[in-house]
Amino acid sequence: MATTSTIAEQANALRHARLKSALRTALACSIVGFTTLYAPTSVRKFLAYPAFSYVTTILIVSDATVGDALRGVWNAFYATTQVMLFSVLSLWLAGPARFATHGLAAVVVSLGTFLVALPESTDLMAKRIAFGQLVIIFVGAAIGGASTGVVMHPVHVASSTALGALASVLALLFPYPWLACSEIRKTCRLYVENASERLNLYLDGFFAKGRPAAVDLISQASCFARVAKKLLQSIKEHERGVSWERPGIRFLKPNYVNLGKRLQEIELPLRGMEMALNSCSSFPISMADQELQKASPKIKLHLRQKLEQAKCCTPCAATTAPETKGDDIENALRPFTTMPASQEGLPALFFLHCVEILQHDLIFGQPVKPVDFKSQDSVTQQSGEKDQAKYCFGGRRTRLNLKPSCQSLIFALKCSVSLGLAVLFGLLYNKENGYWSGLTIAISFVTGRQPTFTVANARAQGTAMGSVYGLLGYFICGKFVHLRFLPLLPWIIFASFLRHSRMYGQAGGISAVIGALLILGRRDYGPPAQFAIARIAEASIGLICFITVELLWEPARASTLAKVELSTSLRKLGESIEGIVLCLEEKQWPDSKFHTFQEKLEDLRTRTSKYGVLTEEAVSEPNFWFLPFPGDCHLKILECLSKMVDLIQFTSFQLESLQRLSVSIGVAWKEIQEPLEQDLELFKEMMGTSIQFLGAVTSLKSLSAIDTELQKTKVACDVELGKSQSGNLTTFSGTNDEDVAKVTSSFLCRSNEVATRIHAQEGLEELKSQIVLCIGGLGFCLSRLMRETMTMEEILRELLQRENPTRLVNISEISSKLKALNM
C-alpha cells in the first residue's frame, strides 16, 4: 500500500505542475484579453493585432518558468528587431501599394523567412515568432495596399508581440514567482524518493523467498521506473530556465556534473539491478545468505543517503550532503572472494556489483562532489555548452557562426517555400482572412524531422475543436461581450492538458487554445461563424502546403528510415563489441583507445535513440498503400538494443575497474588479462558473426532482392548444403543456448583461476571482493549480451516472416545466400 501511495503521490505532483502551468497560461491570456479589450484607446490603437499577442503568449508561457519566460522575452525582442529592419526596408523600397498584388507579398514573406531561418544560432522560438510577424506584416500590407504605414504597420505588430511577451512574464511572477530552480529542487526530491523506493524493491526482490514474490516486486519497481522517466524529463525541461534566472550559474566548476546527466547515471545501475533479477533462474538466491540479509536495512539506509547527495547538486539546494558510511555494505560484500560454480550465480554477483557502484559513486569512474552554490554559482547543465553557441543576453557568451550548415540551409528553404505558398494561396482564396494560412504553419516548424501527417492532423483537429468551442461560447454569452472571456478559462486549462496527450500533443493543444481565443478573445472581426469557417479553410490551405513541401523535400517514409537506422545501429553495435579490448597494457591506461571506445559507445547510444524516434514516428504515420509497419517488432528490437548498450557500458566500466584494482592490490594486470582474453575473443567472434548477419539482413529491401541479385551474378548456390561454386561456405544458423553455455562455462573456469591468484594475496579483503564482483559482473554482461542477441534474432525472424508472408523464412538459407553474394 505504501508503494502504491508513493507512486500516486509522485504522479499527482506531475499533474499538479501541469495544472499550475495551465492556470498561469490562463492568467497570461486574461492579461492580453483585458488589455486589448479594455485598455485606453491610445493604447489599443498600437495593439492592432491581438491575435498575435495571444499566439506569442501561448508560445512563451506554455509549461514555462520565470527563466523560460525571460528567455522568451529575449527571443521576442530578437525576432522583432530582425523583422522590423527587414519589413520597414522592404515596404520603403517597394512601396505599400505594390503589395496589393498577392505574388509580391508571398515572395517577400518567402525571402524574409529564408533570411530569418538561415542562421543556425537563432533560437527556434525566435524564428517562429519572426515567421508569424512576417506573415502578419506583409499579408496586412496586401490587404491595406497604399494605406499601409511603412513604419507604423510594423510597429503595431511589434507592440502586439511585446504585449504577449510581457503578459507571459507577469503571469509567471504573480501571485508568486514560479522559478525553475524551485521546480528542479522539488522534482529532484521526488526523483530521489522514487529511486530509493525502486532500490528498496530490488533489494527485497533479491532476498525474496520465491519467484512470484520477486516478480511482483519487480513489477512494482517498473511502475516507479515509468514515473522516474517523466521526472527526469521534467528536470531536463526546466534546466535551461535556471541560467536565465541566475546568470552567474553558467560559469562551470571543475567538480560539477550536470544534474540531468548525474541522475541519468544513477539510472544505469538501477536498470542493471532489474536485469540481474530478471535473469535469476530461481528464488531464493543462494548468495542471499543470512548475514547479507541482516545487513539489508543498513544497506538501504546508506544507499538512500548516497541518493540524497544528488539533491546537493541542484541550484538553490543545501551546500552540504548527509554524511554516509559504507562499512556495513563493505563488510557484507567482503565474503564474496570466489567465483560461483555455475552461470546461475552470475546474476547475483552482477546485482551486488551494481550495489557497489551506487555505494562508491563509481559510475564512469567520476565521483560527484557537492557544489557550494553560495560561494559561486555553477552551471546547471554541461549540455548547455552547445546552447551557449547562440546569441547572448545579460553577459552570456556568443559564438557567431556565419557559415550556414547544410541542415540549416535545408530548414530555411523548407520554411521559405512552405510559408510563401501558404501566403499566396491563402490570399487567393480569401484576401481578408489570408493571415491564417501562413500563421497556422509559421508556429509549427521544427529544425529536425517530425511526423508530418501526425502533426498536420493534430493541428487540423485542434483548430476545428477550438473554433467550434469558441462558437458555442459566443452564442451562449450572446451580446454580453464582457462575459465572453469566462468560457475561455476552462478551455485554456483543458487544452494545456491536451498538449501532453499522445493523440494531440503540443501541436494539437496549441491549435485548440488559439482557435477558441481568436473567437472569444477579440471583437470587431465580423460574424463569428463566417470567420470560423474561413479560418478553418485557410488553416487547411496552410497545412496542405506544409505537407506538400515536406513530402517533396523528404519523400522517404519514417518506416524506411527506421529500417535504415536499425541497420546502422547494428553496425555501430558490432563496432562497439569489437572495441571491447582486454589486451591494454598497464602503462597505456587510460589511453586513446579507451576514449575512442567511449566515443563509439556514445555514438551507438545516439543512433539507438534516433532509431527509437523514427520507430515512434513510423507507428503514428498512415500506411496508405504500403504494408502496415510492424511497430511491435521494432519496439522489441529497440528494447533489446537499449539493454545491450547498457550492458556494453557496464562492460567497459568493469574492464577499466579491473585494471585499476589490479594495480591497487599488487597483482600484475597480465595475470588477470591473459586467462580471460581467450574467452573474450571467442565471445567477440560469436557476437560479431551474429551482428554482422543481422545488419546485412536489415539492410535488404526485401528477401526477393537476394534472389534477384543471385540471378544477376549467376551464382550457383546450394541452399540446403550452403555451398557455392567458389567453395564451401559456413552458414549462420543463429546463436543458441549451447553457444552461451560454452562461453560462460569457459569464462567461469578461467575466472576461478584469477580469483584463486587474487585470494592468495594477503589482506585487502575489500579490494578482493571488488575484483570478484567485477569479474562476475563481466561474465553476466557477456552472457546477457549473447542472450539479447538470441532474442533479437527471433524477433528479426518474425519481422522477416511478416514482411514476406508468402514464403517460409529460413535463417540458414538466407545466410548462405548472403555469403554467396559476399554481403
Side-chain angles (χ1 to χ4, degrees), residues 662-674:
S662 66
V663 174
S664 301
I665 204 172
V667 176
W669 167 236
K670 287 187 176 181
E671 295 186 21
I672 298 177
Q673 168 221 341
E674 291 178 351

Side-chain angles (χ1 to χ4, degrees), residues 165-181:
L166 179 61
S168 301
V169 175
L170 292 176
L172 292 166
L173 288 175
F174 296 103
Y176 60 89
W178 194 15
L179 299 174
C181 61

Side-chain angles (χ1 to χ4, degrees), residues 318-389:
T319 60
T320 58
E323 293 293 330
T324 59
K325 294 183 179 180
D327 296 340
D328 298 308
I329 298 181
E330 294 170 0
N331 293 333
L333 299 180
R334 193 164 293 175
F336 297 100
T337 55
T338 58
M339 293 295 296
S342 64
Q343 59 181 338
E344 282 74 19
L346 290 178
L349 282 181
F350 180 67
F351 184 93
L352 297 175
H353 176 59
C354 293
V355 171
E356 187 183 52
I357 289 176
L358 285 173
Q359 175 205 0
H360 291 291
D361 252 345
L362 291 176
I363 305 168
F364 303 120
Q366 296 293 333
V368 177
K369 300 179 182 179
V371 181
D372 186 355
F373 284 95
K374 291 184 178 179
S375 61
Q376 180 180 351
D377 290 329
S378 299
V379 71
T380 57
Q381 51 179 10
Q382 271 183 336
S383 59
E385 286 293 298
K386 294 181 180 178
D387 296 331
Q388 292 175 11

Side-chain angles (χ1 to χ4, degrees), residues 9-10 184-194 311:
E9 178 187 352
Q10 294 172 359
I184 289 180
R185 186 173 65 250
K186 293 176 184 177
T187 310
C188 187
R189 176 184 60 81
L190 292 174
Y191 176 79
V192 169
E193 293 176 0
N194 180 289
K311 293 195 292 187

Side-chain angles (χ1 to χ4, degrees), residues 552-575:
L552 290 176
W553 225 278
E554 295 186 40
R557 301 177 70 236
S559 56
T560 303
L561 294 177
K563 193 172 181 180
V564 172
E565 196 61 42
L566 171 59
S567 178
T568 305
S569 299
L570 289 172
R571 179 170 56 82
K572 296 293 182 181
L573 176 64
E575 292 176 1

